[in-house]
Amino acid sequence: MAVENASGRALRVGIAGLGTVGVGVVRLLEENRDILLQHCPWPIEVTAVSARDRRKNRDVDLSKYDWVDDPVALASHPKVDVVVEVIGGSSGPAKLLIEKAIANKRHVVTANKALLAEHGTVLARSAEKAGLALAYEAAVAGGIPIIKSMREGLAANRIEHVYGILNGTCNYILTQMRETGREFADVLAEAQKLGYAEADPSFDVDGIDAAHKLSILTSVAFGVAVNFDGVRISGIRNVSAADIAYADELGYRIKLLGIGRKSPHGIEQRVHACMVPAASTIAKVDGVYNAVVTNGNFVGENMAIGRGAGRGPTASAIVADLMDIARGRILPAFSAPAETLEPARQAPVGLHAGSYYLRLMVVDKPGVIADIAGVMRDESVSMEAMIQRARSPGEAVPIVLTTHETTEAAIGRVVARLANVNSILEPAHVLPIETLS
Ligand code: NDP
Ligand code: HSE
């Protein structure tokens, strides 16, 4: 909703949150003003800002903007047409601000995947009813314009699956573990020092952040209500240097993937560490990079790779959303109108079909392989390959197995029964193998 002002027509922006992302947005709008003016019919002007601490040095001149102590007040600020919410959190001031902004007929741009994963459908309904934008490109895979791509360029397709590397912190940790042979805890500490992982890194390393993003992608891809609770989530804490070395030996890489897929049983949403073929493109997406792959019934496979986080990429996505609003391009948040988004039929987890990697720590004594093979035979799980290393007498040795295609339920039963085999010393380490077709 651009309005007349002294400098002509301008889209007036209030920014709530002046941390990594908020300051990036202020800077981009200043530094790339000429570029924006080339592409947009009228200027995008910051008019008001808010954060907790007014005195904090943010390395950017904020003196020309109205300072608002309570971020929620931006929702009724007379010089604000669009609220940019970059505070974070699925409740509290971020949620209140967005609800009030919509009630007060302000467009909303946010990077807040946690909030959208939990309340996205309801917020989208209110925004669309009021003819307002709820734009969130920055919330999923940072600088990769995946929402725009799915909602516009790929919109004519029936999407069969969407998957990707959706968390840069995990990808950095797994890459470092592979390149240096170090263990998870050691690399996590380094990632925290470098500022990639949060001080409380659990949202990242336990897969929750990736699950937030996946639930949003799944909604856009399949035209269903956002269903974060329907995502099966595990993270990377249990991936060891040994698993990474075995993956290499078997021709795989370990990645934390978010996978949304239509199956005959419903929609699957899974976030977990898994093995992907070393020769696949996604296996080569390393470090803090994100990647998103979609498969449409006419277009085929598409893959986008880019920076999933950080000041620049996130600000780039937010300002692109602002430009869309300034151009009058206001589309339904999740592609299909929010009022048509129904809860998805969720595929039962146990029916997921695929191959698996198992690492077992055993006492190497006669009959142990037969015990393992017997359990697998009883559960009709077929072994594809096995690696056993030499041992010193009495030492625990790893036995690594890969299976042919089976179901998650069958692997669960195998793992439960192996736990009762005396010569197996610890719970099996299990990773799905994703062939990604
Ligand atoms: P930061 O922690 O760097 O910044 C948060 C900002 O919000 C700070 O300026 C803080 O104020 C302000 N704030 C926090 N609580 C309140 C409150 N109660 N009232 C008013 N202001 C408050 O976060 P980021 O910039 O990293 O992230 C912001 C959002 O963007 C989150 O939703 C995040 O998930 C998302 N995001 C972040 C990415 C990134 O790379 N950082 C990438 C993609 C999405 P003060 O500075 O005064 O403490
Ligand atoms: N913590 C997130 C990541 C930031 O590591 O990818 C961007 O969402």
Side-chain angles (χ1 to χ4, degrees), residues 165-176 184 187-188 190-192 195-198 200-206 209 213 236 256 287-290 308-309:
I165 295 172
L166 302 176
N167 185 272
T169 303
C170 287
N171 207 37
Y172 173 81
I173 291 173
L174 292 171
T175 303
Q176 282 294 308
F184 168 79
V187 181
L188 171 61
E190 178 190 272
Q192 284 175 298
Y196 296 145
E198 308 288 328
D200 172 5
S202 54
F203 264 40
D204 291 316
V205 299
D206 293 330
D209 176 74
K213 295 166 182 167
I236 62 167
L256 182 86
V288 292
Y289 276 79
N290 280 196

Side-chain angles (χ1 to χ4, degrees), residues 330-372:
I330 294 167
L331 298 178
F334 297 98
S335 195
E339 63 176 11
T340 69
L341 299 175
E342 297 290 339
R345 183 165 66 97
Q346 225 175 289
V349 167
L351 293 183
H352 170 71
S355 304
Y356 289 83
Y357 155 98
L358 280 81
R359 178 167 59 84
L360 305 165
M361 297 305 292
V362 306
V363 182
D364 188 3
K365 62 180 190 189
V368 63
I369 299 281
D371 288 344
I372 295 167

Side-chain angles (χ1 to χ4, degrees), residues 58-137:
R58 300 176 196 271
D59 289 328
V60 64
D61 178 15
L62 299 169
S63 60
K64 42 199 167 179
Y65 313 128
D66 288 357
W67 178 275
V68 177
D69 281 325
D70 174 8
V72 180
L74 289 176
S76 48
H77 194 287
K79 287 193 282 173
V80 168
D81 307 312
V82 189
V83 166
V84 172
E85 183 280 307
V86 279
I87 293 174
S90 61
S91 56
K95 179 163 179 270
L96 254 182
L97 168 61
I98 291 180
E99 287 168 343
K100 282 218 161 181
I102 294 169
N104 291 345
K105 300 257 177 290
R106 267 61 170 188
H107 299 288
V108 173
V109 176
T110 179
N112 193 335
K113 55 257 176 176
L115 178 71
L116 291 165
E118 293 191 17
H119 308 290
T121 312
V122 171
L123 292 172
R125 276 192 194 126
S126 329
E128 286 166 34
K129 230 185 227 167
L132 297 164
L134 172 66
Y136 57 86
E137 186 66 72

